[in-house]
Amino acid sequence: MKKILLKGLVATAVMGALTACGSDNDDNHSYVSKVCADAGEACTIFTVIHTNDNHGRFWQNKDGEYGMAARKTAIDTIRDEVERAGGDSILLSGGDINTGVPESDMQDAVPDFIGMGLLGYDAMAVGNHEFDNPLTVLDMQANIAKFPMLAANIYKKDSEGNPTEERYFEPYRVFEINGLQVAIIGFTTVDTPKVVSPDNVASLHFTDPQVELQNVMAEIEANEQVDMVFALTHMGHYANGQHGTEAPGDVKLARSLEGTKFDGKLQAIIGGHSQNPVCMEGDGYADFKPGDDCKPDEQNGTFIMQAHEWGKYVGRADFEYINGELSLASYKLIPINLKEENENEELVFITEEIEQDQLVVDALQHYQDLGQELLDVDISSTDGKLEGDRAVVRAEQTNLGQLLTRAYADWVTANFEPTVDFGVMNSGGIRDSIAEGTISYRDVLTVQPFANDVAFVTMTGAEVQDYLANVAVKTGGGMPQLYPMEMNVTCDAVEINPDARSADVVQIASLGGREFKLDDNYTFSLINFSAKGGDDYPVVTAHANYIDTQRSDASVLREYFEKNPSIKVADYATTNGGHPKFFRGGSEVKSCAKAAD
């Protein structure tokens, strides 16, 4: 039986990666427990250092937060402290290296994988975003990587599309850590085929990690001599296993071994995907702030850890192994140059600043500079202004609103199974206009700067009618840009009560070029901000048919412009047939809520 020893142990020096940077602190054993110290040579100490969901953040942000160069300094400091104390360390990633920052996206995450090599990663789980590009790109990244990509539950298909027994990646790798043999198994969320372009994974078969775990444990038992088994996953942590519309994550994985022959033989799960700091209080998450203590989850005797996202934190787990028993002596999420506003509204470091490793800065500077240049490369052009001015777009349908909803709807239709019937875009998410002339990726990021994900949901006509009745009356940032539809909104409720959340009646003539029927199914695209209830939209994330594609709106819009290099504003005019119109008494108005004007 493993035990967790977070209370009563001398764990304060786990922050040494911050406080000891550049110092000559000789207190090398400060994180070792008294139990371990008393056991002497019978106690083996080792440290797992981990990050996850890098999402292109190889460079520090504009405020000087995180970035691989500062991460390298923190990691090297931990390694040095552990080594001087007689321990050893391993550096792991919970996956999703790809997608998130244009400078990385436009270079296929090459700088990120080069940076990971410089930092000395030992292994990574394969994330779902590793499949945002064709397999040829992923193969290139694997060749660059100086470490194994692990995924036990991804198999190749044969020429007829049937699963084979050949895996695409290594299922596990055995590492020697301070004399201990540790098998590390990789797993990828089974949701991956739902949230990436089907073409990118058409030749692959994803199995249930809960089933696959026992298969791999049996393989390890038959072929290896190991002291312990860890899982390195990209599945997500959901408190008490409540995963909602997501596939089951790390909690369910740990619990899946209960009552089996491998019960108690999975010592730890180092995860990613849900992008949360796994710091627990009772059965739920603690109100964790940078610099706070962090207690990882423990399910069925398995420690579960995750370090938020983007390299904002480096997770440090100090383990002690005595007579076949594993203890977690201390655990910290170490902030990497995170900042907060002081009383003067100035950004200041929350903890002591970590210097950037100059070797990493020099090695990645070229890629950062190249990324900035690529932002200004022309990707399209427009023969007129695409209207996104705040005062206009929040009061009426505009050509830019039409273009955005069409771009996201077309992309979902092209990359996923359903044909999208219409698109919805909250006007508050449109942050600027695009002037007549050339269009660069920097223009795209000006219009869509928030990195929201494109999502879609399939509903019955009755559900759609209720949804649109709620959305159609919204004003300001919530006013919807809609394409393509015609609907007649009776606004009596709004005239009586300006705060009404929905119109009395929404009569929809057609959706997606077909007659509207209450018992038909309709698919519409939107951004996940709106799907989560942003701008007081109806929450649809719990709907059984909701899919978050986990591709950013800016990335999808960029792709649309590249495929349409000569935009004609007349094609997006709101007066064209089939484009959205709000009617009251036969007169077109700017929105239902404006009908009383």
Side-chain angles (χ1 to χ4, degrees):
M1 177 70 68
K2 299 189 301 299
K3 56 184 180 293
I4 188 165
L5 304 174
L6 289 175
K7 302 295 184 181
L9 296 180
V10 183
T12 55
V14 75
M15 293 299 288
L18 295 177
T19 58
C21 291
S23 72
D24 294 321
N25 186 357
D26 290 327
D27 188 13
N28 301 331
H29 300 269
S30 56
Y31 66 88
V32 177
S33 75
K34 185 177 185 303
V35 174
C36 182
D38 290 345
E41 293 184 358
C43 178
T44 302
I45 61 173
F46 68 96
T47 296
V48 174
I49 310 169
H50 65 98
T51 62
N52 55 275
D53 294 273
N54 179 75
H55 286 299
R57 269 74 178 184
F58 69 90
W59 201 255
Q60 65 181 10
N61 71 1
K62 61 182 178 58
D63 296 320
E65 297 179 297
Y66 42 91
M68 284 186 164
R71 194 192 311 173
K72 174 73 156 59
T73 301
I75 289 170
D76 282 353
T77 304
I78 296 171
R79 284 173 172 149
D80 180 64
E81 181 182 335
V82 170
E83 183 178 348
R84 286 186 291 153
D88 197 2
S89 61
I90 188 169
L91 177 59
L92 304 174
S93 167
D96 265 10
I97 310 306
N98 287 272
T99 309
V101 174
E103 291 89 338
S104 171
D105 296 347
M106 292 184 291
Q107 300 178 78
D108 291 331
V110 167
D112 304 87
F113 282 96
I114 288 176
M116 291 178 74
L118 293 171
L119 271 60
Y121 277 82
D122 293 291
M124 66 168 273
V126 176
N128 56 285
H129 278 288
E130 269 62 89
F131 300 95
D132 284 346
N133 302 301
L135 288 181
T136 52
V137 174
L138 179 53
D139 293 343
M140 174 272 292
Q141 294 170 343
N143 286 331
I144 293 175
K146 298 179 179 179
F147 47 84
M149 294 181 176
L150 303 177
N153 65 314
I154 303 178
Y155 287 82
K156 295 180 180 180
K157 292 180 181 178
D158 61 23
S159 58
E160 297 180 355
N162 301 309
T164 69
E165 296 183 355
E166 182 182 1
R167 293 186 175 99
Y168 199 81
F169 299 96
E170 285 185 59
Y172 68 89
R173 175 80 64 96
V174 177
F175 294 87
E176 181 175 326
I177 312 174
N178 207 16
L180 298 172
Q181 300 298 311
V182 182
I184 299 180
I185 310 171
F187 290 106
T188 304
T189 176
V190 74
D191 270 351
T192 299
K194 293 199 308 183
V195 298
V196 302
S197 174
D199 288 346
N200 293 346
V201 293
S203 62
L204 302 176
H205 174 64
F206 292 74
T207 62
D208 183 349
Q210 295 183 50
V211 174
E212 202 66 51
L213 175 58
Q214 294 189 50
N215 296 335
V216 183
M217 295 280 277
E219 291 176 36
I220 292 171
E221 185 177 69
N223 300 298
E224 312 286 353
Q225 293 291 324
V226 300
D227 296 293
M228 66 194 76
V229 178
F230 286 6
L232 182 59
T233 71
H234 192 84
M235 296 170 53
H237 182 276
Y238 309 105
N240 202 28
Q242 301 301 309
H243 54 90
T245 59
E246 299 282 346
D250 295 334
V251 171
K252 293 285 191 180
L253 186 70
R255 292 176 178 176
S256 70
L257 293 178
E258 191 171 2
T260 73
K261 65 177 291 188
F262 299 111
D263 198 354
K265 295 185 178 180
L266 179 65
Q267 279 70 30
I269 298 174
I270 312 299
H273 185 53
S274 50
Q275 299 181 221
N276 50 339
V278 176
C279 303
M280 309 305 294
E281 186 173 356
D283 291 333
Y285 296 113
D287 184 19
F288 177 78
K289 301 286 191 306
D292 286 354
D293 290 337
C294 177
K295 178 183 177 181
D297 202 359
E298 187 174 4
Q299 297 285 336
N300 193 34
T302 302
F303 301 119
I304 306 177
M305 306 165 183
Q306 188 176 158
H308 202 188
E309 62 185 2
W310 305 357
K312 292 177 180 177
Y313 298 90
V314 166
R316 173 177 176 172
D318 296 310
F319 287 104
E320 298 175 347
Y321 189 73
I322 307 175
N323 298 324
E325 184 175 293
L326 184 70
S327 296
L328 180 60
S330 58
Y331 184 73
K332 283 286 184 180
L333 291 183
I334 301 169
I336 305 299
N337 287 346
L338 298 184
K339 294 182 177 181
E340 63 183 357
E341 285 191 355
N342 62 15
E343 62 276 7
N344 299 319
E345 297 184 347
E346 301 168 328
L347 282 176
V348 295
F349 290 106
I350 296 173
T351 53
E352 184 177 342
E353 180 181 4
I354 302 172
E355 292 185 6
Q356 295 191 88
D357 182 274
Q358 194 58 48
L359 176 64
V360 175
V361 171
D362 292 343
L364 299 183
Q365 183 73 59
H366 163 73
Y367 296 100
Q368 176 66 8
D369 293 343
L370 179 58
Q372 288 295 309
E373 292 175 10
L374 291 172
L375 287 178
D376 293 317
V377 172
D378 294 341
I379 58 175
S380 186
S381 65
T382 173
D383 64 357
K385 180 182 180 182
L386 293 169
E387 183 62 71
D389 290 359
R390 179 188 178 98
V392 180
V393 78
R394 296 189 177 205
E396 63 186 69
Q397 304 292 298
T398 74
N399 53 16
L400 182 55
Q402 297 294 287
L403 187 148
L404 289 169
T405 51
R406 194 188 305 187
Y408 302 149
D410 287 357
W411 182 79
V412 171
T413 296
N415 289 281
F416 296 88
E417 290 183 359
T419 297
V420 174
D421 296 292
F422 68 100
V424 179
M425 177 73 200
N426 65 307
S427 294
I430 304 173
R431 306 306 291 183
D432 208 343
S433 298
I434 297 178
E436 178 181 353
T438 58
I439 300 172
S440 69
Y441 194 10
R442 199 179 295 276
D443 294 322
V444 169
L445 295 173
T446 302
V447 171
Q448 300 277 255
F450 299 122
N452 292 306
D453 293 342
V454 173
F456 63 94
V457 62
T458 301
M459 294 180 173
T460 65
E463 289 176 310
V464 167
Q465 186 177 60
D466 289 343
Y467 181 88
L468 290 174
N470 188 307
V471 166
V473 297
K474 299 196 182 303
T475 58
M479 205 213 86
Q481 299 288 322
L482 299 163
Y483 172 85
M485 67 176 62
E486 280 191 37
M487 68 180 179
N488 180 22
V489 182
T490 300
C491 298
D492 293 343
V494 178
E495 293 181 299
I496 296 169
N497 178 11
D499 295 324
R501 292 177 56 124
S502 64
D504 274 350
V505 179
V506 173
Q507 297 175 343
I508 305 170
S510 65
L511 284 181
R514 57 193 172 106
E515 182 183 358
F516 179 74
K517 297 180 180 179
L518 290 176
D519 55 355
D520 277 0
N521 287 329
Y522 298 90
T523 299
F524 64 94
S525 60
L526 71 169
I527 58 172
N528 64 348
F529 169 82
S530 303
K532 295 174 183 177
D535 277 335
D536 200 30
Y537 273 44
V539 176
V540 300
T541 52
H543 195 285
N545 297 324
Y546 172 78
I547 297 292
D548 184 330
T549 71
Q550 300 182 27
R551 272 294 287 274
S552 74
D553 46 13
S555 174
V556 172
L557 182 56
R558 169 194 165 201
E559 185 175 315
Y560 184 82
F561 278 131
E562 289 175 336
K563 290 181 177 179
N564 297 274
S566 298
I567 297 295
K568 299 184 185 302
V569 295
D571 293 340
Y572 304 91
T574 59
T575 56
N576 285 358
H579 286 244
K581 299 175 181 178
F582 293 130
F583 289 98
R584 175 180 177 271
S587 300
E588 186 175 356
V589 294
K590 291 184 177 180
S591 79
C592 179
K594 295 288 187 180
D597 294 347

